[in-house]
Amino acid sequence: MDGLLTGDERRVVGAAQHLGLILSSDWPVVAAHLLAQGADGQAVSELAGLPRATSPWCIDQLVPEVLVELGVREMPTQQASDLVARLVGPVAATRPPADEFAAIRFLARLAPALDYPGGAIGDAYVAAEWLDCECHADSPERDAAIALEKALRTPDPLDIDPGLLRALTAQWF
């Protein structure tokens, strides 16, 4: 374990992994950013040195060791979803095309694979039902979706290196 990674960085890596948001092919890039920030460990170094085209079977075997080396602890799905939600809105705002509900749509797509958890993913799943229905254009449900998207796009900031953030979220939208 090292002292240069922030607690937020450790938690976000753990949350993204828990929710299945880091593809096997993205782990070498994520590990390289962790290594550049001073993460120390055999598995982090080995994973950072692998090409993206390496077999997922080889990469996936190293991931649990990397998480142990980083001191990443397991977390409940709702806690992981709420943490990832704090990243989604600001990232969605920077990615084209500009969908006014990109953060809600992204989080809502995660719900079925995670057995419809509560928290931010559950809220987004419920809100997504009203986004494309013209009959709800001036409804309380639509207003709630607008408020949720606004809240997602203006979260409390997390202390995360911009390069690591880009590596984690490159495939999200």
Side-chain angles (χ1 to χ4, degrees):
M1 193 176 346
D2 69 87
L4 298 178
L5 291 177
T6 68
D8 285 346
E9 289 169 335
R10 292 172 204 281
R11 291 182 20 238
V12 165
V13 168
Q17 174 62 22
H18 178 81
L19 299 177
L21 296 175
I22 306 175
L23 302 175
S24 296
S25 61
D26 290 335
W27 265 109
V29 175
V30 170
H33 281 280
L34 295 169
L35 194 61
Q37 287 177 246
D40 189 22
Q42 180 65 33
V44 174
S45 297
E46 189 174 339
L47 190 52
L50 293 176
R52 289 180 64 112
T54 300
S55 165
W57 186 84
C58 294
I59 290 171
D60 293 345
Q61 286 188 14
L62 289 170
V63 171
E65 293 176 52
V66 167
L67 296 176
V68 168
E69 289 176 359
L70 296 176
V72 173
R73 295 186 186 353
E74 295 257 349
M75 65 182 70
T77 299
Q78 185 169 331
Q79 182 182 357
S81 73
D82 290 345
L83 188 58
V84 165
R86 291 174 63 188
L87 299 176
V88 169
V91 172
T94 65
R95 305 275 169 93
D99 176 358
E100 68 178 309
F101 296 108
I104 289 175
R105 291 182 202 280
F106 173 79
L107 291 171
R109 283 193 307 266
L110 300 177
L114 298 170
D115 198 23
Y116 304 95
I121 290 176
D123 294 344
Y125 185 77
V126 170
E129 182 176 354
W130 311 105
L131 299 183
D132 298 318
C133 178
E134 290 300 319
C135 63
H136 285 90
D138 294 318
S139 69
E141 293 87 359
R142 179 68 171 220
D143 292 341
I146 291 169
L148 177 59
E149 184 74 22
K150 181 179 178 185
L152 289 169
R153 289 184 183 233
T154 56
D156 292 331
L158 294 167
D159 186 11
I160 299 175
D161 175 76
L164 177 59
L165 180 61
R166 280 190 303 278
L168 287 169
T169 63
Q171 304 299 321
W172 288 10
F173 294 93

